[in-house]
Amino acid sequence: ERMDSSAGHFLIFYPSDDASVTGKVAEAARALEDAYSKIAGLGLDWGRRTRWPMRVVIRPLGAGYQDHWGMAEPSILGKDYWSITLNYDKLTGSDLSDAFRATIGHELFHVMQDLYEPRNAYRVAKFASNWLWFWEAASTWLEAEMLNDPSYVAGTVADDNFAFFTRHGLEFPPGDRAAVRAHGYGASMFLRFLTNNGAPPTAIGEVIKKASTPAPGVLGGSYYSPVEVMN
């Protein structure tokens, strides 16, 4: 089945015409448009992407990904071809869960982050950015915004990443992706501290904008590191 979101920014594909599933997909469509607006409200520009609607697929995830709620899908074709996949098996209960709604915001924010990534599509799809930890921190930070709950703590933080500052400095260059991402989940609490204590949410957007400044050279990563920008 397929469904268009109300404002036309998303085209959602899902594998069932069951009424209860269709209702939750409609809720997911509204959450996608809500996330779109919240991300734009940070001062970031969706006009950097020219191909709309964005493709969103809700399906059971394959082996090794059954516990994932969803993922942003990069494309070597370029920024206009990123899509989002959400786990059909997480559509449980009578209403769309908070975790599913938070995941929608998290993954859509990754799509926006790539619009400010100066590297070419192939390098983005194949190699980690030196901004990876900050991308995860910002996307995890947005989860609380999606739920309108500044006290919300994501499960990826509550598991074991509160101690991120005791294991590593704030800046975390590319390396083992799992370790960098885990650090980023924990670092979302640093961003939450800032926005709970006077920094406007648009400050997150201002940091992301600086990622688009390219470094000299063929590989074309970001000129700045996230901590340089925050300083």
Side-chain angles (χ1 to χ4, degrees):
E1 300 293 322
R2 54 177 284 175
M3 181 183 297
D4 294 292
S5 65
S6 58
H9 294 122
F10 304 96
L11 178 57
I12 304 165
F13 296 89
Y14 59 103
S16 173
D17 60 359
D18 177 85
S20 64
V21 171
T22 302
K24 280 178 278 192
V25 172
E27 286 188 67
R30 290 190 289 272
L32 282 159
E33 291 289 358
D34 182 41
Y36 177 99
S37 297
K38 281 181 163 61
I39 291 168
L42 302 178
L44 300 170
D45 181 14
W46 281 116
R48 286 172 169 254
R49 179 184 172 114
T50 60
R51 186 174 182 266
W52 299 94
M54 185 184 303
R55 187 170 181 264
V56 178
V57 178
I58 301 177
R59 62 174 177 82
L61 298 186
Y65 293 93
Q66 300 95 323
D67 292 334
H68 286 57
W69 285 81
M71 59 190 74
E73 304 272 14
S75 172
I76 61 173
L77 297 177
K79 299 177 185 302
D80 283 340
Y81 291 86
W82 272 59
S83 62
I84 293 174
T85 301
L86 299 169
N87 191 348
Y88 178 84
D89 293 331
K90 298 293 188 179
L91 283 177
T92 57
S94 58
D95 298 304
L96 196 71
S97 69
D98 282 351
F100 207 95
R101 194 178 305 276
T103 297
I104 284 171
H106 183 114
E107 301 305 337
L108 186 61
F109 205 1
H110 282 322
V111 177
M112 173 60 89
Q113 291 157 5
D114 180 65
L115 298 179
Y116 288 86
E117 166 66 67
R119 298 178 302 154
N120 65 39
Y122 176 81
R123 292 197 64 79
V124 168
K126 298 297 183 181
F127 302 100
S129 166
N130 64 323
W131 280 65
L132 176 59
W133 74 267
F134 186 84
W135 294 154
E136 292 298 351
S139 280
T140 306
W141 169 87
L142 188 72
E143 294 183 25
E145 301 295 301
M146 286 297 296
L147 303 179
N148 298 311
D149 180 4
S151 66
Y152 167 83
V153 178
T156 50
V157 178
D159 288 345
D160 60 0
N161 294 320
F162 268 117
F164 77 102
F165 247 154
T166 69
R167 298 193 293 254
H168 201 285
L170 183 58
E171 191 68 71
F172 205 135
D176 177 73
R177 288 199 187 205
V180 174
R181 285 192 169 111
H183 177 81
Y185 300 147
S188 70
M189 301 306 293
F190 177 65
L191 301 187
R192 177 58 50 194
F193 171 80
L194 295 178
T195 55
N196 281 354
N197 289 275
T202 52
I204 306 296
E206 291 302 314
V207 173
I208 289 171
K209 288 177 186 178
K210 283 291 189 181
S212 64
T213 304
V218 177
L219 299 182
S222 295
Y223 181 79
Y224 299 105
S225 74
V227 166
E228 285 179 303
V229 178
M230 284 191 285
N231 280 340

